[in-house]
């Protein structure tokens, strides 16, 4: 599908809210996680593990193909906990699709060979320098295992793109310069930053966190002030990393990190979101639930209908028609927006 056709289809989607082209698919192959992070409740459901079967995925490949899926992000949970992730990857490659693996890094060394074979890119979670990362992940030697996994991947494919993603919160905001330095030291090609979500019911939360629970993750007023000053100093000390793109965010977007935490306290406006995720992407969870993004409610389930039928159901059409991202309360407080220009290459970054 050429760029002009992609652009026309995506513009048509915004006019009619009917989706004919969904280039980005986030797939959660497995529901469990092998970390116990304070900012996430996914691991609390490990006793009731679920995973997408090869049979289920194969049944929907034609639907994915008709929707023009070209980029699959394997998220979770921890995708590498799937009983046979590589069968799923083999099926996905028939689309064909670029495969990006999002991982805690704990199992990377064990699975380095098939990761190198089937995945085009790996994004690892990096939450701090060694001691800080291990404290947040709450798993013995999480940092050391992450480093070993990256090294194992480099031995198999020295050119594989391996980047990091850091979720900023109370336990690591002060470590910001060390996080960037650690990303450089362990050989990542880029690091990106998100503020921790304290509002939604995503990440296996049965309901929105109460104030006391959110306070364990969000920053206090004094911490926001400290973090704001640290962000400004980081912009100076790591100017070259911003210039080269090693730090994925622009300086303007980087400053939104402390702004978000100030907004949580009612001391600022939430950063204005720029997002078209529900029109260009979708999320499929391990139980088959289909969401327009991580944060909005499910629109249907693959065990009952095709992806095309779900995304273009009356419920989905009404959702997109009535969704005003700039004012929607869920979107306004979102920490992980996606904006994809209609003319982007299907394998370019969102």
């Amino acid at each position: 599908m050429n760029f002009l056709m992609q652009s026309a289809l995506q513009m048509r989607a915004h006019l009619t809210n009917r989706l004919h082209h969904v280039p980005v698919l986030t797939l959660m192959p497995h529901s469990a996680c092998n970390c116990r992070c304070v900012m996430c409740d996914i691991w609390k459901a490990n006793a009731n593990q679920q995973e997408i079967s090869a049979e289920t995925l194969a049944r929907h490949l034609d639907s994915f193909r008709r929707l023009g899926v070209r980029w699959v992000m394997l998220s979770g949970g921890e995708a590498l906990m799937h009983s046979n992730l590589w069968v799923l990857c083999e099926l996905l490659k028939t689309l064909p699709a670029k495969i990006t693996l999002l991982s805690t890094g704990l199992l990377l060394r064990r699975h380095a060979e098939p990761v190198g074979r089937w995945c085009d890119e790996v994004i690892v979670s990096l939450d701090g320098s060694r001691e800080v990362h291990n404290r947040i992940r709450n798993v013995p030697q999480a940092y050391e295992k992450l480093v070993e996994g990256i090294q194992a991947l480099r031995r198999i494919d020295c050119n594989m793109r391996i980047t990091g993603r850091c979720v900023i919160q109370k336990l690591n905001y002060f470590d910001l310069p060390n996080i960037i330095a650690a990303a450089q030291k362990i050989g990542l090609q880029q690091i990106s930053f998100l503020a921790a979500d304290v509002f939604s019911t995503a990440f296996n939360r049965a309901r929105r966190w109460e104030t006391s629970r959110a306070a364990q993750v969000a920053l206090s007023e004094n911490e926001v002030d400290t973090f704001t000053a640290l962000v400004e100093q980081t912009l100076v000390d790591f100017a070259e990393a911003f210039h080269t793109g090693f730090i994925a965010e622009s300086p303007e977007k980087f400053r939104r990190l402390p702004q978000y935490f100030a907004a949580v306290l009612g001391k600022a406006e939430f950063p204005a979101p720029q997002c078209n995720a529900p029109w260009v992407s979708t999320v499929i969870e391990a139980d088959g639930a289909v969401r327009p993004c991580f944060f909005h409610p499910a629109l249907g389930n693959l065990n009952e209908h095709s992806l095309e039928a779900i995304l273009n159901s009356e419920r989905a059409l009404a959702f997109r028609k009535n969704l005003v991202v700039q004012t929607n309360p869920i979107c306004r407080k979102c920490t992980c927006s996606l904006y994809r220009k209609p003319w982007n290459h299907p394998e370019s970054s969102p």
Side-chain angles (χ1 to χ4, degrees):
M1 185 179 296
N2 62 41
F3 295 166
L4 291 177
M5 186 176 295
Q6 291 176 40
S7 178
L9 287 174
Q10 290 183 27
M11 290 176 66
R12 182 179 175 188
H14 279 278
L15 292 173
T16 67
N17 293 298
R18 184 169 294 277
L19 302 186
H20 301 275
H21 184 58
V22 183
V24 183
L25 170 65
T26 298
L27 183 68
M28 300 179 181
H30 200 279
S31 64
C33 186
N34 49 10
C35 288
R36 302 171 65 85
C37 305
V38 66
M39 68 281 192
C40 177
D41 290 342
I42 290 176
W43 57 271
K44 294 181 180 180
N46 282 2
N48 300 309
Q49 298 182 17
Q50 294 178 293
E51 67 176 30
I52 293 177
S53 69
E55 291 75 20
T56 297
L57 185 63
R59 191 166 65 249
H60 291 281
L61 281 180
D62 285 343
S63 182
F64 295 177
R65 190 172 290 109
R66 287 190 295 270
L67 287 169
V69 172
R70 288 296 179 269
W71 186 6
V72 178
M73 291 186 282
L74 302 176
S75 185
E78 171 57 60
L80 291 176
M81 293 179 69
H82 192 278
S83 59
N84 200 338
L85 183 64
W86 318 118
V87 172
L88 302 190
C89 289
E90 186 174 7
L91 290 169
L92 291 170
K93 282 296 184 181
T94 66
L95 291 176
K98 170 185 174 180
I99 296 178
T100 296
L101 172 68
L102 282 68
S103 176
T104 65
L106 299 183
L107 298 174
L108 275 180
R109 185 179 71 169
R110 182 188 306 175
H111 296 287
E113 191 280 326
V115 169
R117 178 182 179 186
W118 292 109
C119 299
D120 301 282
E121 176 187 31
V122 176
I123 302 174
V124 297
S125 298
L126 178 65
D127 289 320
S129 51
R130 185 188 308 270
E131 292 78 12
V132 173
H133 181 85
N134 286 344
R135 180 185 178 193
I136 290 174
R137 291 281 140 180
N138 202 20
V139 173
Q141 296 189 312
Y143 184 92
E144 291 81 355
K145 292 175 181 177
L146 169 62
V147 173
E148 291 172 357
I150 293 170
Q151 292 172 343
L153 280 176
R154 290 279 180 238
R155 287 193 293 269
I156 290 171
D157 183 357
C158 62
N159 295 316
M160 171 172 274
R161 180 170 172 79
I162 307 174
T163 65
R165 181 169 294 171
C166 179
V167 177
I168 295 292
Q169 43 127 329
K170 184 183 286 289
L171 294 180
N172 67 357
Y173 76 94
F174 54 85
D175 204 36
L176 181 61
N178 297 326
I179 296 170
I180 300 170
Q184 294 171 328
K185 181 179 180 180
I186 66 179
L188 299 181
Q189 289 157 291
Q190 189 179 64
I191 180 75
S192 63
F193 293 89
L194 296 173
D197 167 57
V198 297
F199 286 106
S200 79
T201 56
F203 314 112
N204 195 47
R205 298 169 189 166
R207 57 186 179 275
R208 179 180 166 178
W209 281 348
E210 297 179 356
T211 302
S212 58
R213 178 71 175 88
Q216 298 175 24
V217 174
L219 307 190
S220 69
E221 189 170 350
N222 287 338
E223 289 168 337
V224 169
D225 292 340
T226 300
F227 186 42
T228 300
L230 185 57
V231 163
E232 292 302 319
Q233 189 60 49
T234 300
L235 290 170
V236 175
D237 295 343
F238 291 91
E240 182 65 17
F242 283 97
H243 176 71
T244 62
F246 181 80
I247 297 175
E249 288 73 29
S250 66
E252 177 187 8
K253 192 172 183 180
F254 203 64
R255 289 188 172 101
R256 296 179 189 174
L257 293 169
Q259 182 185 348
Y260 172 83
F261 289 112
V264 171
L265 297 171
K267 302 295 183 181
E269 293 292 326
F270 282 97
Q274 185 183 30
C275 181
N276 61 357
W279 289 271
V280 299
S281 67
T282 192
V283 175
I284 299 176
E285 298 183 335
D287 63 356
V290 176
R291 293 177 180 263
C293 69
F294 285 105
F295 304 100
H296 283 283
L299 299 170
N301 194 292
L302 285 188
N303 293 316
E304 300 170 0
H305 303 285
S306 72
L307 185 60
E308 287 170 294
I310 294 170
L311 294 181
N312 289 307
S313 65
E314 290 187 8
R315 179 180 179 183
L317 292 173
F319 166 77
R320 289 189 293 272
K321 178 181 179 180
N322 296 314
L323 179 62
V324 181
V325 171
Q326 290 72 24
T327 59
N328 181 273
I330 292 177
C331 296
R332 284 290 295 166
K333 298 175 182 178
C334 178
T335 63
C336 185
S337 59
L338 179 151
Y339 182 74
R340 189 180 180 87
K341 295 179 180 178
W343 53 86
N344 271 5
H345 190 281
E347 293 188 358
S348 63
S349 297

